[in-house]
Every structure is written in C-alpha cells, then in structure tokens.
Amino acid sequence: MIRLTQLLLAFVLLSLNVAHLHAQTPRASDDLTDIEVISVTASKRLQALNDVSASVSVIDRASIERIEAQHINQVLSRVAGTWISRGNGQEHLTAIRSPVLTGAGGCGAFFMALDGISLRGPGFCNANQLFDANSEQAGRIEVLKGPASTLYGTNAVHGAINIITQDAFDQNESTLGLQVGAYDFARLSTQLGWQNNTQALRLLSHIEQENGYQTNSGYDQQKATVIYQQRSDTWDVKSVLDVSNLHQETAGFIRGFESYKDEEFRRINPNPEAFRDAKSLRFYTRLTRDFNNSTVSFTPYVRWNEMTFLQHFLPWQALEENSHSSLGLQVQYDTQFAGAQWISGIDIDATFANLNETQAEDFSPNIPAGDHYDYDVDATALAAFTQAQWQWDAFALKLGGRLERTQYDYDNLLEGNSACAPSVAVCRFTRPPDQRISFSAFSPSATLEYRVSEHIFSYLKYSKGFRAPEATELFRLQNNQFTTDFEEVDIDAFELGMRVDYQTHSLHASIYDMHKNNVIIRDTQRQNIAGGETAHQGFELEYMWHISERLRASSNLTWQKHTYQNDIAISNESIKGNRVDTSPNQMYGARVNWQATDTLEAELAWQYLSDYYLDPENTAEYEGHSLLDLSINVAINKKVSAKISVFNLTDEDYAERADFAFGGYRYFVGQPRRAFVSVNWII
C-alpha cells in the first residue's frame, strides 16, 4: 500500500542523494546546456520551468516535430503521471493523476485549452476533445498535474493540458511536409511565415487520412491555425484562428477475454456502422500592454463546436448530435503591490448549447426508437481570481483564490417527461422539467517555495480543485429520474516537489496525496447520484541526462494508487478500499537520443504500462504491456530531411484500452509493428 509517509521518506532520501550529487559532480562544458525551457500554464505568466512550484511538464516544438505523432497519446506518453488512452481513430480518454475516467465525469475532470482558453464551453466537454486542437503544429504542449482551479476554474480538478500556439515572431521558416505509412496513412502539412519589425503572420495546416487497421475504420482529418501578431510601443496583439474537421469511421470494442491476441479477430470491426463527425472553431485576440511595474491583458474570444456520432459502445446504438457556441472574455492584471507580485483577473464565458439523441429502431419497450432527448442549455460562468507571491531570501510564499459561479438555463424541447409509451413503467430515457440551476465554488491554493541552492528548488503546495456538474449529468437522465441534487465535485491536494537543474542533469520529482469528494456517478439503477469519494496518491519522476554532446537519455516514472473511499452504488458489493478500475500502478517511459553525425539522428523510446483492474470489484484484469519505438532522421541537405519511424518494434499483442462491461471483456486493439516515412522541405 502506497502511503504518504512512505513516499515522503523516499522523497527526502532522494533529496539528500541529489544534494550529494550536486556537491560531487564536476562542472561540464557549457555547450551541453539546453536552451532554457519556459512555461506559462502554472502561473499564467512566462516563467522558467525550473522556477515553477508545480508539476508542469513541457513538450517543446522540437520534440513535437521529432515525434510526428499520428495520435496525441504518442506525445503525452512522455509525461509522468499522464496517460492518454487511445481509442479508435482519433478518439481517446484521459488520465492525469487519476484513473482513465469516462463520460461527462471523465472530460469534466481535466481543463483542456488552447493558449489558456478552454477548448469547449464549461459544462459541455467531450471525452475526445483534444482532437479539436492543432496539437500536431503547436509551439509546445504543457501538462499541469494536480488541481489548477485557482487560475483556470471549473474542470481543472486532476490537471490541465494547455496547447500553446507558435510565436509568429520566433518562426520565420516556411516548410512543406509529407508523411506516409501503414494502413494507407498520408499527411500533407504546411507552415508558412512572414514578418517584419512590427508584424508577423503564421499559417499552419495539415490534412491527413488513414484507412485503419480494422475494417471500416478509416478517418479524414483537416486542421488549420492562423496566427497574426503585432508589436508597438503601446499594445502587443496576438490573434489566433484555429479550426478542425474530423470524419471518422469508428471501430468498436472487440469482445472476449484477451481477444486482442487473436491475429485475425483483432482486425474485425464489430461496429462497421459507427462513425464520428466533429467540427470546431476557436478565435481570440489578446491585447497586452506593459506599464512601469504592471501588465494588463484583454482576451475576447469565440468558440464553436458541432459533433455527430453513433454510440457504438451501447447495444442500442443511439445517434447523438450536439453543438454549442460561446462568447468569452479574459482580463488579467499583473502588478507589484505591498511587497508582493500579484496576478488578478476575471473570466466571463457565455455558452449556448443543444443536444439531440435519436434512435432508428426499437431495442425494447423501455429503449424505444425516436427522440430520446432534445434540449437547449444557455450557460454562463463568471469568475474572479487573485494570486500573490512574497519573497524572503531563499523562501517564497504564494497564496491564491478563485470565486466562480456557473448557471445553467435548461429548456426541454420535447413533449412529455419520458421517451417511452405511457404503459412502460420504467423508461430508460427521462427528461427533467425546464429549470434554472446554479453552482458556486471557492478554490484556494497555497505554496511554500525554498531554493536550496542555485540548482535545487523545492516546494510544498496545497490546492483545491472543483468542477460544476456537466450539463449531461444534470439533464440527460435515465430510469425515471427527474431531479438531481448535486454540489460541485471538489478535490483537496497536497504536493511536495523538487526540481534540479545542474550541469548535464535535469530532474523533477514530486509526491502527491489527493482526496476527491462529491463524485458524481451513474449507479446500478442507471441514475446519476453524487457522494462518491476517491483517494489518489503517487510519486512521479522526470529526468534528463546529457551523457555527451551527441547522446541524451530521458525518463518518466510514475507510481500511483487510486482507490474508492466509500461504497458508492456502482456495485452490488462493497468496493471501499478497492482500486479504481483502469488505473495502472506503474507507468514508465525512457528514451535515448543519439546524434550519430551532424546529419543523422536516432531515437529509441520505451513505454511500459503495468496491469490494471477493469471493474470496481477488482475481479477482471488486464496484464499490461511494454512497447518499443524507433525513429531515424537524416538531413539530406540544408533544406531537405527524411525520417523513418517504426512503432511497436517488437510486434507485441496489446490493447490500447481494456474494459469490462455488459458481462464480458472488451478491448480497443493495439496496432502491430508499423512504419511511417516522412520528408520535410524548407521552402
């Protein structure tokens, strides 16, 4: 059993060892030092990563371009404490210091953003929403682990993923890229840039298609980002337009114990009729002005999302159509006052949403054909936050708080409160009456920082995260449930962390202990109830070592334990103390990067996922897996480079995600060994 005291002892021993290493290691040559990595997500201002008193990991642009991922999980698997569980096509589920969570509670537990603006409206998330953003051409991707509600508000419960767009002034090259590979995968990408002393324009786009490993499982995807920036003596301006379009033929779960090991069966798509169409648009303009000791910024934005998909994961396969559009404003003011560095702001978001669910054919009397739901929800989220930091020699104290109010105005567009005939006693789909409901929450945080030396930085942090219930948890009810009585889901988190940046070594280690309350679940009667409690504890380590000028090694290690703390009604037996399903105890990753010559670079990457339970009773289990990937990049000349990537080099049979539902095992299939070749030109 992982206990906080044991983790604390391990952390102290690690600190002493690192301090000893600092005292003994001879000085290395300066040419081995990387360019300083910066982060904005943890503090809402640019800050050197080694000064950040939080668990933030940064995947920089060079790494994103080196990986050339076909799926976002190939990038974020390099972050300790994070698992983006790959579904079929571009689908995914997320875990950050958590189990893999599903449904509205899954996406609602994570704040996912483009340049600090939520990808979807508060209360209207989707579990697969990372496919909305152009992460493939991002300037960097930042992952903040643990609650971040003080600065970001609702949904920042277990963590945040912030996709940072490129700085148009920093990028002057125009490039063209072509990548082809397994299962008829093809991607054409362009990056075009123009700038002068005061203005810069960046146009990023890519189109791709794949026919899929399983039958009838291909997808087409297009994304584009337009970045315009202007500098002046008064205001700096950055405007970003980000759009995406996805059309996917989805392969569903294959069923049967360890069916993913059957070479022929795993290529079958049991749901050839399944599909997902998703479109999105985000636009914002950020105006920033510096004064003597202060900075103010205004960021008005709009967003629009539309998605249609067949619910292939349910036996009756209803069709869902959802959409929402939003208007928002972020105002932020940074200043120095009363001996402290202050950051304060207000966030305003107004969203107008609709959800419609229909079924083509009758499944049973209580699961009939026709309209199940059709409703509009107008939502507003208003928040004010502040955070201050005081410095005393090697110590610093940071205190913050956020007050937020979310309101939903719900309008049922269908007649009656049930989708079934009057003779049906218990209908699967019930519709609550029109209503207006609101939620308010306060999220404090406190951090004590201590700089041990020039190269060693430590911190102790408390933070509280929260989320208002998602609209679907409130209004998409089942089995004769017509009302809900929910409070905000909240989490209390303690974290002890240390960063080391010395010579050829870079390390971040942290231990955490979190307790989540008022968890909303769907019980054994198919009704939405609150009152669940879960505990989350773990130790994370990220380490990089520049072995020589041409050889670099890095690793990310995660030990974690996620448990049920009470007998919530998702099982007919006691589950208190059991592991939360789909939460591996260990997740490891390691990479070796070798710059063999000035024109030849190779990287070998290893990823390990331990076994995990598939049900709350902890009776069904997946054995885990280990994957090995290889990439080789060759610079043909100053303008042309070529690359080959081989994934699952050892051709292991594995499941991207294992599950146990409707009385049996089911799996999203992991793909066998496959290769991709790309060519990139500077134009």
Side-chain angles (χ1 to χ4, degrees):
M1 179 177 180
I2 299 179
R3 297 185 183 276
L4 182 60
T5 52
Q6 295 172 320
L7 292 173
L8 180 61
L9 177 59
F11 188 89
V12 170
L13 293 174
L14 177 62
S15 301
L16 295 173
N17 287 333
V18 169
H20 178 73
L21 174 67
H22 169 62
Q24 298 296 324
T25 304
R27 180 165 182 81
S29 58
D30 291 337
D31 57 6
L32 295 181
T33 303
D34 272 350
I35 298 174
E36 184 175 57
V37 178
I38 61 172
S39 169
V40 70
T41 301
S43 59
K44 281 202 168 184
R45 63 163 68 94
L46 287 177
Q47 187 177 14
L49 184 61
N50 288 317
D51 294 329
V52 173
S53 53
S55 286
V56 177
S57 299
V58 178
I59 308 295
D60 60 19
R61 184 185 175 210
S63 298
I64 294 170
E65 293 181 345
R66 184 186 305 116
I67 298 167
E68 286 190 312
Q70 293 82 47
H71 192 279
I72 186 65
N73 81 327
Q74 295 166 298
V75 177
L76 296 186
S77 64
R78 302 180 176 222
V79 176
T82 302
W83 176 24
I84 306 299
S85 174
R86 185 174 186 173
N88 186 251
Q90 291 299 305
E91 295 179 351
H92 61 271
L93 296 172
T94 301
I96 305 174
R97 289 190 175 176
S98 71
V100 169
L101 300 173
T102 60
C107 57
F110 313 102
F111 182 82
M112 298 182 179
L114 178 78
D115 290 342
I117 301 170
S118 178
L119 291 177
R120 300 203 171 202
F124 304 96
C125 70
N126 182 268
N128 306 278
Q129 62 194 15
L130 281 174
F131 62 40
D132 285 341
N134 190 1
S135 58
E136 295 87 345
Q137 295 176 308
R140 64 185 185 276
I141 301 174
E142 301 185 5
V143 181
L144 174 57
K145 291 160 282 184
S149 292
T150 297
L151 293 180
Y152 293 103
T154 188
N155 298 129
V157 178
H158 282 277
I161 297 175
N162 197 2
I163 297 167
I164 310 296
T165 57
Q166 296 183 23
D167 187 324
F169 281 105
D170 289 346
Q171 313 297 336
N172 195 31
E173 290 183 342
S174 295
T175 63
L176 175 67
L178 176 65
Q179 185 181 33
V180 296
Y183 321 120
D184 302 316
F185 177 90
R187 174 191 290 161
L188 179 65
S189 58
T190 60
Q191 300 194 41
L192 306 176
W194 169 87
Q195 63 177 266
N196 58 26
N197 291 334
T198 59
Q199 299 179 82
L201 180 67
R202 193 85 177 148
L203 307 176
L204 313 172
S205 67
H206 68 91
I207 59 174
E208 64 185 62
Q209 74 92 44
E210 181 186 280
N211 287 338
Y213 171 65
Q214 294 167 271
T215 56
N216 300 306
S217 64
Y219 69 88
D220 300 289
Q221 178 176 253
Q222 304 86 38
K223 296 182 181 180
T225 306
V226 181
I227 305 166
Y228 171 75
Q229 291 176 243
Q230 183 177 0
R231 294 172 176 170
S232 70
D233 294 335
T234 53
W235 293 92
D236 289 346
V237 179
K238 182 175 184 179
S239 297
V240 174
L241 173 66
D242 191 62
V243 297
S244 70
N245 177 56
L246 172 67
H247 174 69
Q248 176 175 299
E249 302 298 325
T250 306
F253 289 101
I254 63 170
R255 300 178 183 276
F257 179 65
E258 295 189 346
S259 54
Y260 61 89
K261 294 183 178 181
D262 187 310
E263 185 173 353
E264 294 183 1
F265 188 73
R266 67 189 181 198
R267 300 206 66 168
I268 295 173
N269 178 9
N271 301 107
E273 70 285 351
F275 73 95
R276 183 184 296 271
D277 293 335
K279 302 176 177 64
S280 69
L281 178 149
R282 289 154 296 281
F283 175 77
Y284 78 82
T285 294
R286 179 163 292 145
L287 301 96
T288 306
R289 183 169 182 175
D290 292 328
F291 299 94
N292 289 334
N293 292 312
S294 305
T295 301
V296 64
S297 67
F298 298 89
T299 310
Y301 62 86
V302 297
R303 74 165 74 84
W304 170 80
N305 294 85
E306 183 178 275
M307 184 162 63
T308 303
F309 66 98
L310 192 70
Q311 298 177 33
H312 62 86
F313 41 85
L314 299 174
W316 48 92
Q317 297 192 343
L319 180 72
E320 178 180 329
E321 300 171 273
N322 65 68
S323 63
H324 69 269
S325 55
S326 306
L327 297 171
L329 174 67
Q330 296 179 344
V331 180
Q332 183 171 311
Y333 182 61
D334 299 2
T335 190
Q336 294 182 10
F337 175 74
Q341 182 72 43
W342 290 82
I343 176 173
S344 303
I346 59 173
D347 293 338
I348 304 171
D349 192 291
T351 297
F352 313 94
N354 174 263
L355 184 143
N356 176 258
E357 179 181 305
T358 59
Q359 189 171 306
E361 299 178 359
D362 286 332
F363 184 81
S364 66
N366 69 329
I367 304 178
D371 290 319
H372 296 165
Y373 307 98
D374 190 2
Y375 60 76
D376 289 339
V377 179
D378 297 341
T380 56
L382 305 174
F385 66 89
T386 188
Q387 184 170 275
Q389 179 170 318
W390 292 266
Q391 188 80 41
W392 301 280
D393 298 325
F395 288 92
L397 177 65
K398 186 185 297 182
L399 299 175
R402 181 188 188 95
L403 184 63
E404 182 163 323
R405 177 180 174 85
T406 302
Q407 179 174 288
Y408 298 110
D409 191 351
Y410 160 81
D411 182 15
N412 175 29
L413 303 180
L414 297 173
E415 293 186 3
N417 56 18
S418 170
C420 301
S423 59
V424 176
V426 180
C427 186
R428 173 70 68 140
F429 312 106
T430 51
R431 308 160 186 151
D434 295 353
Q435 57 190 281
R436 180 176 294 175
I437 187 170
S438 62
F439 302 89
S440 298
F442 176 69
S443 174
S445 62
T447 306
L448 179 64
E449 304 175 1
Y450 175 62
R451 184 162 291 282
V452 181
S453 70
E454 180 184 355
H455 305 286
I456 303 176
F457 173 77
S458 61
Y459 61 90
L460 177 64
K461 179 180 180 181
Y462 164 77
S463 57
K464 189 178 189 68
F466 71 91
R467 74 169 180 90
E470 294 290 307
T472 53
E473 294 173 315
L474 295 168
F475 311 124
R476 194 180 193 169
L477 303 181
Q478 297 188 8
N479 283 23
N480 289 11
Q481 182 181 19
F482 298 104
T483 61
T484 58
D485 184 18
F486 293 157
E487 297 179 356
E488 298 81 7
V489 179
D490 65 79
I491 191 168
D492 292 286
F494 294 89
E495 178 179 340
L496 178 64
M498 176 182 64
R499 292 186 182 275
V500 178
D501 184 30
Y502 185 70
Q503 308 290 326
T504 59
H505 302 273
S506 177
L507 177 146
H508 177 230
S510 61
I511 59 173
Y512 64 87
D513 184 65
M514 309 192 300
H515 193 97
K516 188 161 64 169
N517 302 292
N518 300 321
V519 178
I520 300 171
I521 57 100
R522 180 157 287 173
D523 66 11
T524 55
Q525 303 303 313
R526 303 297 302 172
Q527 296 192 351
N528 292 347
I529 63 171
E533 296 181 16
T534 55
H536 311 270
Q537 299 169 315
F539 174 74
E540 297 165 355
L541 178 69
E542 293 184 344
Y543 174 67
M544 180 176 289
W545 177 24
H546 287 258
I547 302 170
S548 69
E549 291 184 10
R550 294 188 178 275
L551 190 62
R552 183 175 66 226
S554 61
S555 61
N556 52 280
L557 311 175
T558 303
W559 293 269
Q560 60 185 5
K561 185 178 182 181
H562 307 294
T563 55
Y564 296 105
Q565 293 297 290
N566 64 345
D567 285 323
I568 53 178
I570 57 176
S571 175
N572 293 320
E573 61 184 67
S574 175
I575 60 171
K576 183 178 180 179
N578 284 8
R579 298 294 178 99
V580 181
D581 49 281
T582 326
S583 59
N585 294 339
Q586 296 96 31
M587 298 185 294
Y588 307 146
R591 294 154 298 280
V592 176
N593 184 276
W594 180 37
Q595 188 73 50
T597 69
D598 291 341
T599 60
L600 178 64
E601 179 187 24
E603 182 179 82
L604 187 65
W606 171 69
Q607 180 185 355
Y608 169 75
L609 201 70
S610 74
D611 57 341
Y612 56 86
Y613 292 114
L614 310 182
D615 59 344
E617 297 81 10
N618 290 179
T619 58
E621 192 171 3
Y622 172 67
E623 64 183 359
H625 60 257
S626 182
L627 301 175
L628 198 63
D629 302 328
L630 173 68
S631 66
I632 300 173
N633 188 75
V634 179
I636 298 173
N637 55 44
K638 291 184 179 181
K639 291 186 175 293
V640 181
S641 63
K643 178 182 175 183
I644 181 169
S645 301
V646 182
F647 296 96
N648 193 2
L649 192 65
T650 59
D651 202 23
E652 174 155 341
D653 296 334
Y654 74 103
E656 289 282 4
R657 177 175 163 234
D659 191 32
F660 190 87
F662 303 102
Y665 289 84
R666 58 183 190 173
Y667 306 91
F668 277 125
V669 179
Q671 297 180 12
R673 182 171 48 238
R674 58 204 184 276
F676 296 82
V677 177
S678 61
V679 181
N680 292 281
W681 295 266
I682 298 175
I683 55 178

